[in-house]
Amino acid sequence: MNALPSPLAEVLARGDIWRGDALAELPAATIPSGHAELDAELPGGGWPQGTLTELLVERDGIGEMSLLLPALARLSAAGGWLALVAPPWLPYGPACVAAGLRPERLVVVRASRQIAWCCEQLLASGGFAGVLAWPERNIDARALRRLQVAAEGRPVFAALWRPASAAQTPSPAPLRIALETAADGLSLRILKRRGRPASRPLTLAVPRPGRNSRVVAGPAFSPVRAGSPAVKAVA
Amino acid sequence: MAPGLRVFERDPGREARALADLACAAGRFTPSVSLAPPDGLLLEIGGCLRLFGGVAAIVEAVRTACGEQGWSTEWAVAPTPLAARWLARAGARQSVDTVVELPAALVPLSCAVPGWPAETVARLQSFGCTRLGDLMQLPAAGLRQRLGHGPVDDLLRARGEVPDPQRYFVFPEQFAAALELPSRVEYAEGLAFAGQRLFAALAGWLTIRQSLVRACSLQLTHDDGSTSVLPLRLGEPCADEARLLRLLREHLGRLTLPAPVEALRLTADEVIARPGDSGRLFTEATAGEGTAACLERLRARLGEAAVQVLGLRADYRPECATVASDPLAAGAGRELSSAEATFSASHPLWLLPTPQPLAERADGPHWHGPLQLLTRGERLESGWWDSGEPDATGDIRRDYFVARNGQGQWAWIFRDAQGWYLHGVFA
């Protein structure tokens, strides 16, 4: 009889032992986000499919869509339908094409009141690969729960854009990320994910137009900003 | 005794029409349907048993379908049409599988069941024959002499000893079904039930004709004699009764009736041949209703303009480069592909529908704080071809810049003769 205790590493290698500091293994499908640092932090190694993802942004225009574009382009290239429900502005066709989205498979739903209903229909239909929705600020937990149920088990990437103030209220979405602008890109704070909580915020370099490094003076600026070093660099 | 009782006069014409509609609906179960007026339908199910998974299953399906349409049914299954009819009329609700078992099943039936002339039935009673079993024991030759050929031949047909060919119901070329409502309907939602009856007939007709419907219209006849038409357009052709009904409910939810409705009439306007489809080897989980059905429902509720896909147009004025197009139209979205070439990488993903004027201070334009210009100006001009037209962008002369404010928001702004405008957001 060998009653010797197994070495610790052997025990830890067993499939039924879960370590508290490891991310939960998700059988559900994910799609690579296109950012290696982010994939390492997301359970399953990418944006989850079949569950809600909440993205909390205070202001538009900080690169929040650019963060998702690699994943959306991947879905679109595979022939999937994408839906934008109540987007704040209209998508600009040529820019969508340049980002790799197929415009004829990008549905824009302009719903003023029935945003939650539309999302539920789109998620439950199973015919969409990606659903991005901008719900009302006061969407309640019950509606979110319904959306989560509608998305469950379907191969759909469901993202909800919510204001940063929603971070204080609980939500049934298994993944919640707050986005903020940072000096050199976009700062992501994972508020909630399956597995251990994330400790530090993540800074990603998302593609931005123009040249970030220096300020180019426009015609109107010449007299005002003539003294700034940036303008000297251009001149 | 029953103060709420409403008495209607019997109308053979309407009964016949209802029977024909029901025959149409029965097209879902078998292509060989024959009418047995005034109240019978004969369905030849021998060829469809495997498809439906047995006699019990098909009987249940037919009865459910009749029940959904508000008919109460008596049924029987037998190897010969006449025996099935007699058994059904006697309320037997049984299924006789082989010809051998037939005589035993017919024995207990009353002589009144076959619907022979009253005089014949009275004669039979005077012989002491009250059941078909008694009749079967008598010699046929003597019976022919006394009663004529009718009853004896009928018995032979019912027992399968003489062939009994049926005249099959001919499904009409064009589908149109009408329904008079038993009472006036004042609320649009109340029409859904009546619609279900019409859609069941349509679904049966489509199955038989191997077709799919793309557009149909429901004509409502109001009690003041006027009519209104509710067109129903499907995203993709289908023959599914439930889907048509869901679409109708969405439309009815938005409809206000000008006057109570008396009658409905459903016509299939656009019918296309059903493309062949091979079955799956392995059963796969159903994955929801699919893209087209979902879009169709959203469009029914929100209006067609609210659900669109993007289309491109070769125009360098940004507000003209994107057009909304019908998501379900074939080849939607791609007006041309060369438009992609005209795009440079510094254009934003979001565009404001109309440019928003920006406040200008001493240090330049402001949008949530002062904006820093990050690129040199990109000049976009011209557009003379639609200047002067209503709602057209017209001739423009703009210098576009990528700009960023202190909060890290990236904007696409332009300056023209009037001043600074915000036109896009780099999200």
Side-chain angles (χ1 to χ4, degrees), chain A residues 59-67 69 81 84 87-99 101-112 114 117-119 121-128 134 154 181 183 207-212 214-221 224-225 234, chain B residues 250 286-291 294-295 297-298 301-302 305-312 316-319 321-322 324 327 332-334 339-340 343 345-353 360 362-365 367 371-376 399 401-402 404 407-410 412 415 420 425-427:
Chain A
R59 279 181 291 272
D60 304 286
I62 60 171
E64 70 277 12
M65 281 295 281
S66 309
L67 176 71
L69 277 179
W81 284 79
L84 307 178
W89 293 295
L90 298 178
Y92 180 45
C96 293
V97 173
L101 308 182
R102 292 170 59 180
E104 73 275 17
R105 297 240 161 156
L106 181 64
V107 179
V108 180
V109 180
R110 272 176 298 192
S112 48
Q114 301 171 319
W117 178 82
C118 290
C119 292
Q121 299 297 315
L122 290 165
L123 293 173
S125 77
F128 288 84
W134 285 258
R154 303 197 184 273
T181 181
R208 298 279 71 194
R211 279 160 297 186
N212 207 346
R214 60 185 178 185
V215 176
V216 180
F221 285 172
V224 183
R225 291 202 158 257
V234 173
Chain B
E250 288 298 339
T286 49
E289 57 184 350
T291 313
C294 178
L295 288 177
R297 203 128 46 83
L298 292 185
R301 182 175 284 204
L302 303 172
V307 184
Q308 300 278 12
V309 292
L310 296 187
L312 302 180
Y316 29 72
R317 293 169 296 170
E319 50 266 73
T322 314
R334 280 285 157 134
E340 296 154 32
F343 166 75
S346 57
H347 285 188
L349 203 63
W350 295 130
L351 203 67
L352 276 65
E360 190 174 356
D363 54 347
W367 181 54
L371 283 166
Q372 269 184 335
L373 301 193
L374 302 171
T375 54
R376 294 177 189 283
D399 283 336
F401 298 90
V402 175
R404 189 179 55 178
Q407 290 155 335
Q409 290 172 286
W410 294 63
W412 202 41
R415 193 175 66 168
W420 287 98
V425 175
F426 292 93

Side-chain angles (χ1 to χ4, degrees), chain B residues 171-330:
Chain B
F171 291 86
E173 272 307 304
Q174 306 282 329
F175 180 83
L179 183 68
E180 271 179 56
L181 301 174
S183 60
R184 286 176 180 70
V185 175
E186 298 182 17
Y187 299 101
E189 286 83 359
L191 296 174
F193 176 75
Q196 183 177 21
R197 219 182 242 202
L198 294 172
F199 285 139
L202 176 62
W205 179 81
L206 288 168
T207 311
I208 275 301
R209 299 213 70 102
Q210 299 277 310
S211 308
L212 301 172
V213 67
R214 183 186 270 284
C216 53
S217 53
L218 197 64
Q219 188 185 353
L220 317 175
T221 307
H222 301 289
D223 65 349
D224 55 0
S226 62
T227 58
S228 56
V229 176
L230 181 69
L232 299 172
R233 205 171 169 78
L234 287 131
E236 61 178 359
C238 86
D240 183 9
E241 175 189 342
R243 185 163 158 194
L244 284 163
L245 195 64
R246 274 204 302 274
L247 186 65
L248 177 69
R249 280 187 208 279
E250 288 298 339
H251 277 285
L252 290 178
R254 293 197 303 163
L255 187 74
T256 42
L257 295 174
V261 176
E262 268 191 340
L264 294 177
R265 184 181 164 80
L266 179 71
T267 44
D269 300 329
E270 270 185 61
V271 176
I272 62 162
R274 181 198 301 251
D277 190 15
S278 21
R280 301 242 188 286
L281 178 57
F282 302 106
T283 49
E284 288 174 9
T286 49
E289 57 184 350
T291 313
C294 178
L295 288 177
E296 172 189 298
R297 203 128 46 83
L298 292 185
R299 283 161 76 93
R301 182 175 284 204
L302 303 172
E304 304 220 331
V307 184
Q308 300 278 12
V309 292
L310 296 187
L312 302 180
R313 198 160 57 182
D315 200 320
Y316 29 72
R317 293 169 296 170
E319 50 266 73
C320 303
T322 314
V323 286
S325 56
D326 187 346
L328 301 166

